[in-house]
Every structure is written in structure tokens, then in C-alpha cells.
């Protein structure tokens, strides 16, 4: 299978391609179309060779009706051009594929035409079904025109060569033409056109995949970059809120306490640690408990705790916690999220519950479930009345827990009744399988960054291809459906045309039932998804084929029997078997071929036609089965490989774009923190003695960092500078962003200018700038309040700005 060039190094764990297999595969291709044409032409060439070799005994048996030179010459005329096609498929390029297709079709046509020259006038022995071996499946070479993009030439060849071969065959059997026997040729042409339709759709699909590859990769990269950027921004928002802002708020005049210094040192370590260096490991339950204890100790000594590990109790561990034997391991990001959310809940207790409130942490660790509750008996609050600028619970707890698969957070509180925050995690069933798969796939680097999990959900939607590899052959496409409908119409025409002597209504009812059964069987094979076809469906299709063909044959009365009356059901059964092979059930298809022959033989024996003569009606199922089996062996892996390689290219592009976007966002966030917060954190970690002006500076930095989290729309350089200066003058500034301006960057720039102008006027008072949620009639509002009154600016959904002012009441 050809492999596209990748910029990403191959996995060291992948097995090398053996030299013999590399030679068998041939040169690589840079496009799906070239790959399909290469393997498609090789498949048809091999089909012609196998077809010729498989019929050699029958060719020899019928040699007496022609001159001795015709059998070897006809075989060479078919096999030599086919061999040239196979050899050409191993060249780096296929510039002469159309010419080779003409050569193959011309060779078959000349071989059939020379039969008339070589014919001795003798007839084939009695009981023979054919006298010219090329009548078995004469249109195979025409499929090459489908691979080269010339389907009309393929149809012309199929029709012309089928009629010519049947004409020669009738002369060799009867010494004259019998127009009624040309009905079988119609079915043969319809059958070959079905294969031609599959070839045409396969080439068109490959061309479409090539044309859409760049767009699919670009779309996947852009979408993955956006997801990764948002994930990195959320990660830094949580870090800033939980650690940096908390430390800056705790800074006071004098020397920081030892616990605060330790928190500052921990925050600096986390800022300096690169995301790529974080090991993708799991944490045992005992280590999880140890980390909870350490986190609680860093928060203070007045926090009670009750921690348990279930389910297998082997006696309590030393200490004041009830701990049983470790049930398993937990993903690192789950442990980190729960610890950070727990610490945020405890900080909220310290800030808002009241000085006399007590705090209890209750933890329960099970093999597939974790529950940690932070309970206080403080003043409580009404969750519905929380102001939008208060986002500790929303960002530090809820969003953090929801960012991990299986995570959840519940906040239960009421005024005067305390607060309970319940952090939960439930292991999803696919976690184990997904982890195992990624660990052995060979397509992932050994250590992927943590941001990879942020785009895992996105991966399933970046490439809109079916999970059915056989879809590339277009069995559900309009072209193949029309070809099958044409085969059905031909089936009906031949059944009626060959059965004009049938007078019994019940015979026609049986023939109708057989047609309906076979048509339903084809519908099952073309519409049922799954690759390969589910085993139950494959067996069901086989049973329906036997029922349909058997019903048709037993519905033909012995008194009016003609060989052509058996052909429609035989052709229908052959198509079913060929589709079974294409759908990946080659073994079932061959069992079906044998079952069809045995069914025909039993019917022939019961009708005094003869067991062998009955089997003869199904003889040409085997050349078609050889052809279909080659299809399954050679082309099905290519279809699956095309989808795999395409998905891998899209995934690699998405990974690279996500990595670049996350790195850029991380660098931007770090540059901002280095400029504003790092110097203050370093002072805290070093135990610097703070003056009042330095404490005021810490509050300004804290407010600016908070703006970056809750108001990303108001983060232009000019707004940040104006807000900083206004706050230094004592102006209260509140910035909020609910996402309503994400699609209006130009309008946001106008609002930035308006905010800067208002802030420049203010010497005291309050300015609130808020972007409303999407879909509101008002996109944004700016309200400035000072001694002179209230000034309000509203931005409508269409971008219209309205301003008004009034006296302060």
C-alpha cells in the first residue's frame, strides 16, 4: 500500500516493511487517484490473467471446433496486454494507461473476431453450454476504461464485445443464430456495467478526496487550533485565578506568612514548567490521598478531613483518616483538577463564609469514581444572586471540573445554611480502551502534550468520512444504484421474454417472489453499513440468495423449460455473491457459489435435466467469483488504507496546529505574567517586606489579571493602559464579557475607543463596560458614573451606538 510523505517521523515501534512486500506493493503515490488507478489497473490485469488461466482446461476441451492455432493465439491476445498493464502499474508513473486500456480491449476484440476465421464449421459436443471461452465474461477489459475516466468507451466495448462473443458462441453451438438466446447477453452486459459503475465511482471518489484533502486538512487545523487555544487559555485562567490572584489578594503590609511564601514558590514553579514536560501518567489512590493531605496542610491547620479509599478493606492506615487498600490509579489531570477545585472552594470559605465558620473536607475514592465534598457552616448565599463579575465558582470550580471527562461539580447553599461543594469524577468506560489504543497504535508520539486531550472530542468531527471503508467503491452512490436498477429491469425483461410459453399463474408468482427476494438481498448488501459486512448479515444474504435462485428455478415448468429461463436468477445470485466478496465476506461468497451450483444440480436431477447439466447453468459464477475475490484481496485494503492515511494526515495537521496554537497562547500568557505578576510573586516567595504602595500595586495587578479572565473582549493595549491609569486614580472599573462580540471585531474597536475616552474623563466614580451574551438586542453597554451624573452608551445588535446622560439620583 502506498504511503504518503509525512513531515512527522515514523513511530519507532512500527514494524519495517519486508523487501518482498515492498516489491509487491510497488512505487508510492502522492495522490489517492493515482493509487486507485495503479491498483485498479493491476487488479483488472490480474483478473484477465486469472480468468484465462482458470479456463484453460475448458479451452482445451472445446478446441476441436476451431483451427489448432486459435486457442493459444486467443489466450495470448488476452493475456499479453493484461501482463503489460500489470508491468506498467509498477512504473513510477502511469502516463500510458489509456493506451494500455485500448490495447487490452483491442486484444479481446481481435481474439473474438479471429474465431470466425479459425472456425472449422464443427459444432460443440451435445450438452455444451458454450463453444467460445471468451463468452464467459467478455467485458472485463472494458473496466479499464472506467479506471482511466472514459466510461462511455467502456460501455461501447462491453456491448460490442458481448454481442460479438455471443454471436460466435451461437454459431459454435448451433451453426446458426438464435435471437432468443441473445436475452442472456443483455443480462451479461448489465452485470458488467455494474462493475463498470463501481470502477467509475471509485475513480471519482478518489479524485474528490484529492481535491478536498487540502481543505479538510486546513479546516481540521483551524478548528483544532481554536480548541487548543481555548483549552490553553482556560488552563491559564484557572492558574491565574486559583494561585496568582489568590496570592496577590493575600499580600499585606509586612512580611508574608510562610504558607503564602510556599504558595508563591509553587506558582512560580508551575509557570516555569513546560506543558510538554508533564508526564502522562496515572496516580495511585494512596498518592492521591497524600496530595489531598498536603494541599489541606498548605491551606491551614484548621480544616477537618475524612478520607476513605474503597472497596477492598485490608485494615486502616495509620493516621486519622480511614484508608483501605488502593483500588487503582487515576489520571493525573483528574487529580490535579480535583485538588485545584477543592483549594478554590476552601479559599471561598475563608473569604465569604465568615470568621467563625468551620470547614470539613470529605473524600471517597473508589476504583472508578471519586467524590470530594467541601462543607462549611458559614453564612451561605443564594447561588442565583451571584453577580456576573464573581467567577470563582464558575471558573475555578465548575469549568475546571467540567473540563475533564467524567468530571462534575455541584454547589449547594442557602443564606444562613452554609455551603457544600461536591466535586465528582466518574471513569468513563472508554477510557481504558482509548488509553490502550493510543499506547500501541504507532501513530502517536511517545509523549504527547496534555493539550492533546483538549482536542480529543474534536477529532471525531474534523474529517467527514464514513467509517465504512467500502464506501470508496460507491455501493450506495447514485451511479451504482442506477446500474443495479438497470440490471433489475433487464432481469425482468429476460424473465418475461424467455418465459412466454409459461401459462401457469403460480409459476409466475414463484418467479416474482424470487425476483423480490434477490432484489431485497441486493438492497441489504448495498445499504447495510459496516466493514466488513457483519457476519450475521453475510449469512443472511447467502440464505436469501439460495432461496431466491432456488425459488426461480423450481418455478420454471419442465414442459416449457429453456436454458435462458434459468439465466436471470443465476445472474442475480452471481451479483449477490460478487457484492459479498466486495463487502469483505469472500469465504461466505464461495460457500454461496458452491451452494448455488448444488441447488441447480439438485433441481436439474429432479427435473430429469441432469445433475451435471443443472450445475452447468451456474458454471460462469466461478470466473466472476475469481474476479470478485481478486477485488477483495487487492482493492479492499487500498480503500481502507486511503481512509487511514487521509485521517492520519488530517490528525497530524490538527495536532501540529493545536501544538502551535497552544504554544503561542502559552507564550502570550507567560509574557503577560512575566511583565505584571512574576516580579510580585518572586518578592512574596523571597519573603520581601511589603510597603503600603507595593500592596496597592499588587491589588492593581490582581485587578488587571482578573480582567483578562472575565473580559477577554476588553484586552486591547489601549484599554488595558487606560484601565490601569484610571484605577490608580481611584476609579472603580468593572469589565465583563459574555461573548456577544466574538463575531464583530471591527465594532469592538469602536467600543474600545469609547471606553478609553470615558476613562480619560474620570477622576473618581465607577465605569462598567459589559459585552452581552450572543443573541441579545443590545450587544454591549458602557456606564460611567461620577459626581457629574450618569453617562450610558448602548451598542445595538446592528452596530448602532446610542448615548445618553442624566443627573445622579
Amino acid at each position: 500500500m502506498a504511503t504518503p510523505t509525512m513531515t512527522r517521523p515514523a513511530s519507532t515501534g512500527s514494524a519495517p516493511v519486508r523487501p518482498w512486500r515492498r516489491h509487491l506493493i510497488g512505487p508510492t503515490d502522492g495522490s489517492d487517484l493515482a493509487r486507485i488507478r495503479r491498483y485498479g489497473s493491476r487488479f483488472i490485469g490480474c483478473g484477465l490473467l486469472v480468468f484465462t488461466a482458470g479456463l484453460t482446461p475448458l479451452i482445451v476441451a472445446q478446441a476441436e471446433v476451431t483451427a489448432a492455432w486459435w486457442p493459444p493465439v486467443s489466450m495470448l491476445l488476452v493475456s499479453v496486454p493484461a501482463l503489460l498493464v500489470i508491468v506498467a502499474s509498477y512504473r513510477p508513473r502511469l502516463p500510458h494507461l489509456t493506451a494500455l486500456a485500448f490495447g487490452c480491449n483491442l486484444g479481446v476484440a481481435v481474439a473474438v473476431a479471429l474465431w470466425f476465421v479459425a472456425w472449422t464449421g464443427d459444432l460443440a459436443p451435445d450438452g455444451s453450454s458454450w463453444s467460445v471461452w471468451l463468452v464467459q465474461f467478455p467485458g472485463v477489459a472494458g473496466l479499464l476504461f472506467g479506471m482511466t475516466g472514459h466510461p462511455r468507451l467502456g460501455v461501447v466495448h462491453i456491448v460490442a464485445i458481448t454481442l460479438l462473443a455471443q454471436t460466435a458462441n451461437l454459431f459454435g453451438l448451433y451453426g446458426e443464430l438464435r435471437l432468443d438466446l441473445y436475452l442472456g447477453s443483455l443480462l451479461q452486459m448489465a452485470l458488467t456495467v455494474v462493475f463498470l459503475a463501481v470502477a467509475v465511482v471509485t475513480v471519482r471518489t478518489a479524485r474528490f478526496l484529492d481535491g478536498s484533502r487540502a481543505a479538510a486538512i486546513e479546516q481540521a487545523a483551524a478548528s483544532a487550533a481554536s480548541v487548543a487555544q481555548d483549552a490553553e487559555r482556560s488552563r491559564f485562567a484557572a492558574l491565574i485565578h486559583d494561585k496568582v490572584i489568590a496570592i496577590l489578594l493575600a499580600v499585606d503590609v509586612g512580611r508574608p506568612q510562610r504558607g503564602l511564601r510556599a504558595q508563591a514558590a509553587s506558582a512560580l514553579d508551575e509557570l516555569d514548567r513546560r506543558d510538554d514536560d508533564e508526564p502522562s501518567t496515572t496516580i495511585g489512590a494512596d498518592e492521591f490521598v497524600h496530595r489531598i493531605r498536603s494541599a489541606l496542610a498548605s491551606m491551614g491547620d484548621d480544616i477537618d478531613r475524612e478520607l476513605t479509599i474503597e472497596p477492598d478493606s485490608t485494615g486502616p492506615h495509620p493516621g486519622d483518616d480511614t484508608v483501605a487498600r488502593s483500588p487503582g490509579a487515576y489520571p493525573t489531570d483528574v487529580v490535579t483538577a480535583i485538588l485545584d477545585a477543592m483549594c478554590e472552594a476552601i479559599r471561598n470559605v475563608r473569604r465569604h463564609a465568615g470568621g467563625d465558620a468551620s470547614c470539613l473536607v470529605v473524600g471517597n475514592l473508589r476504583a472508578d469514581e471519586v467524590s470530594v465534598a467541601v462543607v462549611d457552616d458559614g453564612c451561605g448565599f443564594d447561588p442565583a444572586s451571584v453577580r456576573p463579575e464573581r467567577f470563582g465558582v464558575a471558573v475555578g470550580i465548575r469549568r475546571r471540573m467540567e473540563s475533564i471527562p467524567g468530571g462534575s461539580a455541584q454547589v449547594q447553599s442557602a443564606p444562613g445554611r452554609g455551603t457544600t461543594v461536591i466535586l465528582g469524577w466518574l471513569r468513563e468506560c472508554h477510557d481504558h480502551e482509548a488509553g490502550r489504543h493510543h499506547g500501541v497504535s504507532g501513530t502517536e508520539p511517545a509523549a504527547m502534550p496534555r493539550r492533546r486531550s483538549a482536542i480529543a472530542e474534536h477529532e471525531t468531527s474534523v474529517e467527514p468520512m464514513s467509517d465504512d471503508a467500502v464506501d470508496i467503491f460507491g455501493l450506495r452512490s447514485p451511479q451504482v444504484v442506477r446500474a443495479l436498477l438497470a440490471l433489475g429491469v433487464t432481469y425482468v425483461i429476460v424473465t418475461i421474454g424467455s418465459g412466454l410459453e409459461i401459462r401457469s399463474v403460480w409459476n409466475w408468482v414463484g418467479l416474482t417472489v424470487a425476483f423480490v427476494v434477490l432484489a431485497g438481498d441486493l438492497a441489504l448488501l448495498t445499504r447495510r453499513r459496516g466493514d466488513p459486512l457483519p457476519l450475521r448479515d453475510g449469512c443472511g444474504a447467502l440464505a436469501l440468495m439460495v432461496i431466491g435462485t432456488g425459488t426461480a428455478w423450481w418455478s420454471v415448468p419442465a414442459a416449457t423449460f429453456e436454458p435462458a429461463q434459468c439465466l436471470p436468477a443465476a445472474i442475480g445470485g452471481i451479483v449477490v455473491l460478487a457484492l459479498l466478496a466486495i463487502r469483505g465476506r469472500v469465504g461466505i461468497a464461495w460457500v454461496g457459489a458452491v451452494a448455488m451450483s448444488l441447488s441447480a444440480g439438485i433441481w436439474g436431477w429432479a427435473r430429469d435435466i441432469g445433475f451435471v447439466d443443472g450445475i452447468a447453468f451456474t458454471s460462469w459464477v466461478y470466473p466472476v467469483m475469481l474476479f470478485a475475490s481478486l477485488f477483495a484481496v487487492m482493492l479492499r485494503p487500498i480503500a481502507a488504507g486511503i481512509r487511514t492515511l487521509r485521517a492520519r494526515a488530517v490528525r497530524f495537521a490538527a495536532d501540529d496546529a493545536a501544538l502551535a496554537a497552544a504554544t503561542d497562547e502559552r507564550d502570550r500568557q507567560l509574557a503577560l505574567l512575566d511583565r505584571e505578576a512574576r516580579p510580585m510573586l518572586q518578592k512574596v516567595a523571597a519573603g520581601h517586606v511589603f510597603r503600603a504602595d507595593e500592596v496597592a500595586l499588587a491589588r492593581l495587578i490582581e485587578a488587571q489579571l482578573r480582567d483578562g479572565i472575565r473580559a477577554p473582549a476588553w484586552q486591547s493595549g489601549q484599554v488595558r493602559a487606560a484601565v490601569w491609569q484610571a484605577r490608580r486614580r481611584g476609579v472603580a472599573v468593572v469589565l465583563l464579557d459574555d461573548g456577544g462580540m466574538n463575531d464583530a471585531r471591527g465594532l469592538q474597536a469602536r467600543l474600545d475607543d469609547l471606553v478609553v475616552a470615558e476613562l480619560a474623563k474620570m477622576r473618581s466614580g465607577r465605569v462598567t463596560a459589559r459585552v452581552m451574551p450572543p443573541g441579545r438586542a443590545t450587544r454591549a453597554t458602557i456606564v460611567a458614573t461620577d459626581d457629574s451624573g450618569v453617562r450610558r452608551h448602548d451598542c445595538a445588535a446592528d452596530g448602532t451606538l446610542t448615548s445618553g446622560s442624566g443627573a445622579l439620583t
Side-chain angles (χ1 to χ4, degrees):
M1 183 172 61
T3 305
T5 302
M6 294 288 181
T7 58
R8 187 183 298 267
S11 172
T12 57
S14 60
V17 178
R18 298 182 182 274
W20 67 266
R21 190 170 183 271
R22 187 181 299 112
H23 291 305
L24 182 63
I25 291 172
T28 58
D29 295 293
S31 70
D32 295 333
L33 178 61
R35 190 174 302 113
I36 282 295
R37 281 181 169 169
R38 180 181 303 280
Y39 280 86
S41 59
R42 190 181 301 171
F43 152 67
I44 295 172
C46 289
L48 288 170
L49 288 181
V50 171
F51 174 58
T52 303
L55 290 179
T56 298
L58 298 179
I59 296 173
V60 173
Q62 299 293 348
E64 64 269 17
V65 300
T66 61
W69 57 267
W70 186 82
V73 168
S74 63
M75 294 174 69
L76 288 175
L77 285 171
V78 174
S79 59
V80 170
L83 187 60
L84 291 176
V85 170
I86 296 173
V87 172
S89 71
Y90 283 92
R91 294 178 58 84
R93 299 181 61 189
L94 291 172
H96 306 300
L97 186 57
T98 301
L100 291 171
F102 272 106
C104 276
N105 284 272
L106 182 62
V108 174
V110 170
V112 176
L114 287 177
W115 183 91
F116 293 96
V117 178
W119 182 38
T120 62
D122 296 332
L123 301 181
D126 293 340
S128 298
S129 299
W130 51 272
S131 61
V132 181
W133 67 276
L134 286 167
V135 78
Q136 290 290 315
F137 203 14
V140 171
L143 303 183
L144 278 171
F145 284 128
M147 301 304 301
T148 60
H150 301 88
R152 291 185 178 85
L153 291 177
V155 173
V156 170
H157 169 82
I158 290 170
V159 172
I161 200 65
T162 302
L163 293 176
L164 184 63
Q166 179 68 321
T167 299
N169 186 58
L170 292 176
F171 274 117
L173 286 175
Y174 306 108
E176 62 180 1
L177 297 180
R178 292 182 55 180
L179 297 181
D180 58 316
L181 296 183
Y182 279 100
L183 290 173
S185 299
L186 293 178
L187 280 170
Q188 200 171 36
M189 286 185 281
L191 171 63
T192 312
V193 167
V194 171
F195 282 96
L196 179 65
V198 172
V200 170
V201 172
T202 302
V203 170
R204 289 180 180 176
T205 303
R207 185 179 287 113
F208 168 78
L209 292 178
D210 284 334
S212 63
R213 179 188 294 269
I217 290 177
E218 182 179 355
Q219 178 185 357
S223 183
S226 176
V227 172
Q229 185 180 42
D230 290 343
E232 195 73 3
R233 186 179 293 125
S234 297
R235 189 170 74 90
F236 268 92
L239 168 64
I240 292 169
H241 177 268
D242 295 348
K243 297 191 175 180
V244 180
I245 288 180
I247 293 169
L248 295 177
L249 283 174
V251 170
D252 206 347
V253 176
R255 188 183 302 276
Q257 295 180 358
R258 184 174 61 180
L260 187 60
R261 296 200 301 268
Q263 292 180 36
S266 174
L268 288 170
D269 288 342
E270 188 162 351
L271 290 178
D272 292 333
R273 183 173 62 243
R274 288 198 56 83
D275 188 51
D276 293 359
D277 296 334
E278 294 184 3
S280 178
T281 60
T282 57
I283 294 175
D286 291 333
E287 174 63 18
F288 195 172
V289 170
H290 174 71
R291 295 194 181 192
I292 293 176
R293 289 172 174 168
S294 299
L296 294 178
S298 68
M299 301 297 294
D301 298 329
D302 58 341
I303 303 173
D304 295 326
R305 62 182 185 266
E306 295 178 4
L307 306 175
T308 60
I309 301 178
E310 296 182 4
D312 298 328
S313 177
T314 57
H317 286 203
D320 57 354
D321 303 326
T322 302
V323 182
R325 184 168 64 84
S326 171
Y330 307 95
T332 303
D333 55 347
V334 170
V335 174
T336 302
I338 292 176
L339 291 176
D340 288 344
M342 179 191 71
C343 291
E344 174 62 20
I346 295 172
R347 281 191 288 269
N348 285 339
V349 173
R350 299 284 174 76
R351 296 169 188 163
H352 309 297
D356 297 332
S358 61
C359 180
L360 170 66
V361 174
V362 180
N364 191 354
L365 280 64
R366 298 185 179 91
D368 294 320
E369 184 177 2
V370 174
S371 176
V372 175
V374 180
V375 184
D376 70 76
D377 56 359
C379 61
F381 66 99
D382 180 5
S385 65
V386 177
R387 292 181 298 171
E389 62 265 28
R390 307 302 305 176
F391 57 96
V393 172
V395 173
I397 298 177
R398 285 201 176 100
R399 187 183 301 177
R400 171 175 280 113
M401 292 303 299
E402 291 171 358
S403 68
I404 58 174
S408 63
Q410 302 177 39
V411 179
Q412 302 170 358
S413 184
R417 295 180 178 273
T419 302
T420 299
V421 176
I422 303 175
L423 310 175
W425 174 75
L426 182 64
R427 192 189 304 273
E428 296 184 350
C429 295
H430 59 76
D431 283 351
H432 301 292
E433 182 67 19
R436 183 188 66 79
H437 171 75
H438 284 299
V440 300
S441 65
T443 62
E444 299 287 351
M448 285 298 292
R450 186 173 64 185
R451 67 179 63 89
R452 183 75 174 91
S453 63
I455 64 171
E457 181 179 352
H458 161 79
E459 262 190 5
T460 59
S461 62
V462 296
E463 175 59 6
M465 290 186 66
S466 169
D467 60 349
D468 192 348
V470 81
D471 271 357
I472 196 172
F473 303 125
L475 297 187
R476 291 185 284 270
S477 67
Q479 294 87 344
V480 174
V481 171
R482 285 196 291 267
L484 290 173
L485 288 176
L487 176 65
V489 172
T490 307
Y491 182 113
V492 173
I493 292 174
V494 174
T495 300
I496 295 175
S498 61
L500 293 178
E501 300 300 322
I502 299 176
R503 297 289 182 262
S504 171
V505 174
W506 290 110
N507 291 133
W508 283 109
V509 170
L511 292 172
T512 303
V513 169
F515 173 78
V516 171
V517 170
L518 291 173
D521 205 358
L522 290 175
L524 168 68
L525 290 171
T526 54
R527 308 309 298 179
R528 184 70 166 88
R529 292 189 177 273
D531 188 71
L533 185 73
L535 181 60
R536 173 185 289 184
D537 293 329
C539 294
L542 170 60
L544 289 175
M545 183 276 298
V546 174
I547 293 172
T549 54
T551 301
W553 293 333
W554 286 96
S555 298
V556 175
T560 63
F561 167 74
E562 293 183 7
Q565 294 174 353
C566 294
L567 282 178
I571 292 292
I574 288 171
V575 176
V576 169
L577 297 176
L579 290 183
L580 271 172
I582 293 175
R583 297 299 307 271
R585 294 299 178 183
V586 180
I588 294 178
W590 277 100
V591 170
V594 174
M596 179 192 290
S597 295
L598 290 176
S599 173
I602 294 172
W603 166 78
W605 170 76
R607 289 297 179 88
D608 295 328
I609 298 172
F611 184 83
V612 175
D613 289 339
I615 291 178
F617 293 129
T618 65
S619 61
W620 61 305
V621 68
Y622 297 100
V624 177
M625 279 304 304
L626 286 172
F627 193 73
S629 299
L630 274 177
F631 186 104
V633 170
M634 297 182 65
L635 289 188
R636 278 182 48 81
I638 299 304
I642 284 176
R643 183 186 181 276
T644 300
L645 292 172
R646 179 181 173 91
R648 185 181 301 173
V650 170
R651 185 171 65 250
F652 283 173
D655 286 348
D656 292 341
L659 182 62
T663 301
D664 290 344
E665 180 63 24
R666 182 180 187 277
D667 291 343
R668 188 184 72 82
Q669 294 281 358
L670 286 177
L672 179 64
L673 291 172
D674 287 344
R675 185 171 62 251
E676 298 179 349
R678 185 184 288 273
M680 194 65 66
L681 293 176
Q682 290 172 337
K683 289 183 179 181
V684 175
H688 174 75
V689 179
F690 282 86
R691 304 186 307 271
D693 61 323
E694 291 175 317
V695 174
L697 179 61
R699 299 295 188 269
L700 287 172
I701 295 173
E702 180 273 330
Q704 192 118 44
L705 292 176
R706 191 178 294 270
D707 289 340
I709 299 174
R710 67 187 182 190
W714 304 104
Q715 291 302 297
S716 66
Q718 58 175 345
V719 172
R720 288 172 59 84
V723 169
W724 180 275
Q725 294 300 328
R727 282 177 174 152
R728 292 192 66 175
R729 296 193 300 268
V731 179
V733 182
V734 178
L735 303 179
L736 300 171
D737 176 16
D738 290 324
M741 297 294 289
N742 292 340
D743 58 345
R745 299 302 181 190
L747 183 58
Q748 181 64 54
R750 293 168 56 193
L751 294 176
D752 288 349
D753 293 338
L754 189 56
V755 168
V756 170
E758 284 293 346
L759 290 172
K761 301 175 186 177
M762 302 291 288
R763 292 297 178 267
S764 63
R766 179 187 180 93
V767 175
T768 300
R770 181 180 182 185
V771 174
M772 298 297 182
R776 297 282 184 88
T778 301
R779 281 182 178 265
T781 61
I782 302 169
V783 180
T785 305
D786 59 12
D787 295 338
S788 64
V790 179
R791 295 181 299 278
R792 181 183 181 94
H793 309 275
D794 292 321
C795 176
D798 60 0
T800 303
L801 289 174
T802 58
S803 301
S805 60
L808 201 60
T809 60

